[in-house]
Amino acid sequence: MTDDDRVFKALADPTRRFLLDLLFARDGRTLTELESEVEMTRFGVAKHLKLLEEAGLVVVRRSGREKLHFLNPVPIRLIHDRWIDKYTERHVEALVDLKKALEDEA
């Protein structure tokens, strides 16, 4: 499985996207903090976090007895640059050309 495949698989689940949103809002949360935000068992949340970690979307750091989870937005940005940016560039360029043409007419 490629890195892109892991990221897409991780982002395919709404619970995992919600966990990423929680980490975006406030980074460095414990499993207990994240678990309190979803209606799911601790084991279920841990399983989702493990998949996010394997995809590189979550980075874990230990602080004493706590295991803190941090969002890593780099894989999402790489997906954006590869799959989204190249498709929107053409449209943005066309809008810029249209704007210039309309300004030249005026």
Side-chain angles (χ1 to χ4, degrees):
M1 187 178 286
T2 68
D3 290 343
D4 283 355
D5 291 337
R6 286 185 188 87
V7 173
F8 279 117
K9 180 180 178 182
L11 294 174
D13 184 84
T15 301
R16 289 191 287 270
R17 291 192 304 268
F18 182 69
L19 291 170
L20 291 174
D21 288 339
L22 291 172
L23 292 174
F24 178 79
R26 188 171 56 82
D27 239 354
R29 295 186 191 218
T30 64
L31 175 60
T32 302
E33 290 175 290
L34 293 167
E35 176 193 2
S36 70
E37 299 284 341
V38 294
E39 292 185 21
M40 184 178 288
T41 65
R42 183 177 182 83
F43 178 74
V45 174
K47 203 170 174 182
H48 281 296
L49 287 171
K50 181 69 175 164
L51 205 146
L52 289 168
E53 191 178 343
E54 289 171 358
L57 294 167
V58 169
V59 177
V60 175
R61 189 184 80 206
R62 290 207 176 270
S63 176
R65 296 178 66 188
E66 292 183 317
K67 187 176 177 184
L68 303 175
H69 300 84
F70 294 88
L71 173 66
N72 177 19
V74 173
I76 295 173
R77 181 57 194 227
L78 294 173
I79 293 290
H80 174 271
D81 291 349
R82 180 175 178 198
W83 293 100
I84 297 169
D85 210 27
K86 71 180 178 184
Y87 293 108
T88 58
E89 183 179 331
R90 209 172 14 159
H91 300 293
V92 173
E93 186 177 331
L95 289 173
V96 169
D97 292 343
L98 177 61
K99 180 182 181 281
K100 286 180 185 175
L102 291 173
E103 289 173 347
D104 290 344
E105 287 180 19

